[in-house]
Amino acid sequence: MSFIKKLLTFSKAATDHIKSGLKHADDEVKEKRASICEECPSIDKENYKCNNCGCYLKYKISWDTSSCPEGKW
């Protein structure tokens, strides 16, 4: 995925998060998302980011409005 595409994807996720009033997912949801991501072949484990959408999972899994680009959560 190109840098521009990754930037656009992250920008949309951040915009949705802001529109939600910066709402975060609860701990149970975050843990479930993290466990799914850790098993996914699209994860960059060294940088803890998704190679599919380019988002850093530290943020993506915690934002209530986020979703997996592969539909896994």
Side-chain angles (χ1 to χ4, degrees), residues 24-63:
H24 283 80
D26 63 40
D27 289 341
E28 184 178 326
V29 170
K30 289 190 282 189
E31 288 174 15
K32 183 176 180 182
R33 290 175 177 180
S35 68
I36 292 168
C37 290
E38 288 170 9
E39 299 299 319
C40 182
S42 295
I43 189 175
D44 172 353
K45 290 185 178 186
E46 185 175 318
N47 296 304
Y48 200 55
K49 73 180 204 177
C50 177
N51 288 323
N52 191 311
C53 67
C55 291
Y56 285 93
L57 297 172
K58 174 182 176 180
Y59 304 107
K60 185 158 185 121
I61 64 173
S62 68
W63 295 347

